[in-house]
Amino acid sequence: MDKKIILLVFSLLNSVLLFGQPEVEQWKVFEVSLKGPADGNPFVDVKLTGQFVWESDTVTVSGFYDGDGIYRIRFMPHKVGEWKYSTSSNIKKLDRKKGSFSCLPATGSNHGPVAVKDTFYFAYADGTPHHSFGTTCYAWVHQGDSLAELTLKTLSEGYFNKMRMCIFPKSYDWNNNEPLYYPFEGTPLKNWDYSRFNPNYFQNIEKRIVQLDSLGIEADLIIFHPYDRWGFAHLSREVEDRYIEYIIARFSAYKNVWWSMANEYDFMRDKTLNDWEHYIDKFASTDPFHRLIGIHNGVRIYDHTNPKLTHASIQNEDTYRAKELRLKFKKPVVYDECRYEGNIPWSWGNLTGESLTLKFWRGVTNGGYVGHGDTYVTEQPIGFPNESSDVLWWSKGGVLRGTSPERIKFLRGILEQAPPQMKPVPLFTWMPFSCIGVAGEYYLGYLNDAQPRSMVIDLPKDAFFQVEVIDTWNMTITPLQKKFTGHSLIELPAKPYMALRITKTEQ
């Protein structure tokens, strides 16, 4: 055969192979699905890993059993180009399977996973700042599709970019219904086979993780919590380790996943600090994608100096202490719970919208991040069969009833337009007013619930600044006509909840 014809044939074959090669976008999920044994106990008996190679970069990922004889390996490619993979297993049918795929550049709103940047801040993998504005919906994934879809519709309004949510079902006030599925095979309420997971349960959760990601929302997954009537808060170390390994294999490839070791770790009385250190170590050593790791407290704040904890997750209403805690722990400080807006009898859930909005501004202008919750009980059901007015956002999702979310969204917009990585800076001649900014360039200060007619601020003497008065409640921004420099007297409208945005400008 003519040499030119041979080269042409090889070229055409190569084009066909390349055209048929699977493709996935950078930081999204590539999945290997394999058919294997369904007899015995595949959750315990079968070992499966995948090795993914890009040039000299190799990542090893654990596979998992997904029921009906299906095994999956999930991988998040972090580099553009061709990746090759091969499997290893103690089952011949699953062993030494090979393939490749092409990783394409990220597009649109795909900024990659969030990580810590420069000690005190969060940023996506492409460098875009992540200003964490979270909310809590503990058991929303365990409700029906209709209520979950309403929750997602509410979230699509752009108030929040992080959701705290439990993996295990929750039993507590306004959380008395049974979940759609249970995490283990067996019979409710406590007759479980802890050696066998229920794939339907975890498929439902990962469906919600993907839906949150489509809205640009991080899924802060709570691993353990004390609010339980099924026995899931009291597992053996062997079962806990198997559970942790399973959820890492299933969920960690999704770029929007965070790990929270507990909701209120110190209320789980049969677990010791050594137990919590074990869990933290387990996630840090097992997760191939190194997702963010936190642990949330009830009363006793955890020692977040542990270097394997990526950020400090705090339950405390004193959000103004963020400036102090970020220096103590030397990592981002997230007030995931600072009390909630609502009207329930419990003191942690009956703040006014003004009070919660104030906590957000005080936390942010002291260098921290703050989370939201909505705990309103009303006389009006939200319109779903067998559901009543006790469908609280904080528990089951649905609709937001409070007045703070629009104000939180307003603050989020201001931060997303501001310089990245602002830090606490001195501005006011009298505290407790707080301020973050870039010294000499940009300041964002908050006046709490004070209502001064005027106040003095000290700006650099070698430049001029534009001052804007922000009404954080009515969500207005009013620029002052005069330019300011040095020791300056600012006229104010004598209303509470004012903030100042000050930017360097020409004279």
Side-chain angles (χ1 to χ4, degrees):
M1 185 181 291
D2 185 271
K3 186 176 181 180
K4 290 183 178 179
I5 295 176
I6 294 174
L7 290 173
L8 178 61
V9 170
F10 274 107
S11 176
L12 289 172
L13 286 172
N14 189 52
S15 296
V16 170
L17 290 171
L18 288 174
F19 182 77
Q21 186 180 49
E23 295 178 342
V24 66
E25 197 170 297
Q26 185 183 21
W27 301 312
K28 292 198 174 181
V29 176
F30 176 78
E31 182 175 284
V32 178
S33 178
L34 302 170
K35 191 72 175 176
D39 56 342
N41 187 346
F43 297 104
V44 175
D45 301 335
V46 179
K47 308 300 179 186
L48 175 65
T49 61
Q51 193 173 67
F52 293 80
V53 179
W54 178 93
E55 296 183 359
S56 61
D57 195 349
T58 300
V59 182
T60 301
V61 179
S62 294
F64 63 94
Y65 183 59
D66 203 23
D68 298 322
I70 300 298
Y71 295 80
R72 304 186 193 279
I73 304 172
R74 289 182 177 148
F75 176 69
M76 183 202 75
H78 59 286
K79 291 183 178 179
V80 172
E82 185 183 45
W83 286 83
K84 297 179 180 180
Y85 67 86
S86 60
T87 69
S88 298
S89 177
N90 62 338
I91 303 299
K92 185 176 180 180
K93 194 174 182 180
L94 303 174
D95 193 35
R96 298 185 181 183
K97 302 299 181 183
K98 296 183 179 181
S100 62
F101 67 92
S102 181
C103 177
L104 306 179
T107 61
S109 60
N110 176 8
H111 301 293
V114 175
V116 174
K117 184 174 183 181
D118 296 335
T119 307
F120 300 116
Y121 310 96
F122 295 117
Y124 296 94
D126 68 354
T128 302
H130 172 79
H131 301 286
S132 181
F133 283 86
T135 189
T136 292
C137 253
Y138 286 126
W140 81 284
V141 297
H142 305 303
Q143 313 308 315
D145 280 345
S146 57
L147 186 54
E149 291 299 326
L150 181 59
T151 303
L152 292 163
K153 181 180 178 182
T154 302
L155 290 169
S156 71
E157 296 296 324
Y159 308 113
F160 312 110
N161 57 16
K162 183 169 80 78
M163 171 81 94
R164 295 178 66 230
M165 49 197 271
C166 295
I167 295 179
F168 284 134
K170 185 173 182 180
S171 177
Y172 190 70
D173 294 346
W174 307 285
N175 280 279
N176 294 314
N177 61 310
E178 291 298 309
L180 289 174
Y181 309 102
Y182 298 96
F184 301 98
E185 292 187 13
T187 305
L189 287 176
K190 294 186 177 181
N191 184 22
W192 307 111
D193 181 350
Y194 288 122
S195 70
R196 294 177 180 270
F197 297 106
N198 176 6
N200 290 331
Y201 184 89
F202 296 94
Q203 290 165 6
N204 179 61
I205 294 174
E206 65 202 19
K207 177 174 71 173
R208 303 307 181 202
I209 292 171
V210 171
Q211 290 171 323
L212 290 176
D213 188 48
S214 72
L215 297 175
I217 297 173
E218 306 296 297
D220 196 355
L221 302 180
I222 296 168
I223 313 304
F224 298 107
H225 66 78
Y227 304 105
D228 168 75
R229 62 175 176 267
W230 305 275
F232 305 146
H234 307 281
L235 304 174
S236 70
R237 174 62 63 82
E238 179 185 8
V239 173
E240 289 173 346
D241 282 353
R242 190 184 304 120
Y243 158 67
I244 289 171
E245 290 165 2
Y246 190 72
I247 62 175
I248 288 174
R250 288 202 74 117
F251 299 151
S252 66
Y254 295 106
K255 64 183 174 65
N256 62 323
V257 161
W258 298 25
W259 306 119
S260 178
M261 298 300 99
N263 182 62
E264 299 174 327
Y265 81 93
D266 47 325
F267 293 170
M268 302 188 76
R269 307 300 185 190
D270 60 347
K271 297 190 186 301
T272 68
L273 288 177
N274 286 336
D275 290 324
W276 297 113
E277 292 294 304
H278 171 78
Y279 305 141
I280 294 166
D281 289 344
K282 185 78 172 173
F283 276 93
S285 63
T286 306
D287 178 2
F289 305 109
H290 309 294
R291 300 303 182 215
L292 294 166
I293 300 175
I295 182 167
H296 172 269
N297 66 280
V299 175
R300 188 170 67 253
I301 293 177
Y302 201 83
D303 181 6
H304 298 285
T305 58
N306 183 331
K308 295 176 182 177
L309 289 170
T310 55
H311 58 286
S313 174
I314 306 295
Q315 177 175 187
N316 187 282
E317 67 174 313
D318 300 331
T319 58
Y320 62 87
R321 292 186 60 204
K323 181 167 62 175
E324 167 194 337
L325 294 184
R326 75 202 296 265
L327 294 176
K328 178 180 179 180
F329 297 129
K330 293 182 172 54
K331 56 190 60 175
V333 172
V334 185
Y335 280 85
D336 279 312
E337 190 173 340
C338 63
R339 297 174 66 193
Y340 300 138
E341 180 184 355
N343 61 1
I344 61 174
W346 298 105
S347 61
W348 48 260
N350 50 31
L351 288 179
T352 64
E354 291 89 341
S355 294
L356 185 56
T357 303
L358 179 144
K359 290 182 185 298
F360 264 82
W361 273 91
R362 292 197 77 181
V364 165
T365 55
N366 277 286
Y369 304 93
V370 184
H372 159 274
D374 185 303
T375 48
Y376 279 100
V377 177
T378 74
E379 297 303 318
Q380 293 186 342
I382 60 176
F384 288 91
N386 304 318
E387 296 287 1
S388 64
S389 58
D390 69 350
V391 178
L392 280 62
W393 172 266
W394 148 92
S395 60
K396 300 176 183 177
V399 297
L400 290 164
R401 304 181 188 276
T403 54
S404 63
E406 287 291 345
R407 279 82 187 175
I408 293 167
K409 182 178 178 180
F410 176 68
L411 170 57
R412 179 183 172 187
I414 290 172
L415 282 189
E416 290 176 348
Q417 296 172 7
Q421 299 186 359
M422 295 187 292
K423 63 182 180 181
V425 292
L427 176 67
F428 301 106
T429 56
W430 184 80
M431 297 300 282
F433 303 148
S434 51
C435 182
I436 52 172
V438 178
E441 298 289 334
Y442 181 103
Y443 303 87
L444 183 65
Y446 185 53
L447 307 184
N448 307 334
D449 52 0
Q451 47 186 1
R453 294 180 60 86
S454 63
M455 68 181 310
V456 172
I457 58 175
D458 285 303
L459 297 167
K461 298 177 182 179
D462 58 352
F464 286 87
F465 294 84
Q466 170 72 61
V467 175
E468 295 169 291
V469 178
I470 302 173
D471 185 329
T472 67
W473 186 251
N474 292 308
M475 296 177 286
T476 61
I477 302 176
T478 305
L480 302 183
Q481 297 303 311
K482 178 182 175 183
K483 301 296 189 293
F484 297 87
T485 185
H487 194 70
S488 301
L489 179 67
I490 309 294
E491 299 296 330
L492 296 169
K495 297 195 299 184
Y497 313 125
M498 296 293 108
L500 299 178
R501 182 167 65 184
I502 302 171
T503 51
K504 187 178 179 180
T505 186
E506 300 295 329
Q507 184 173 358

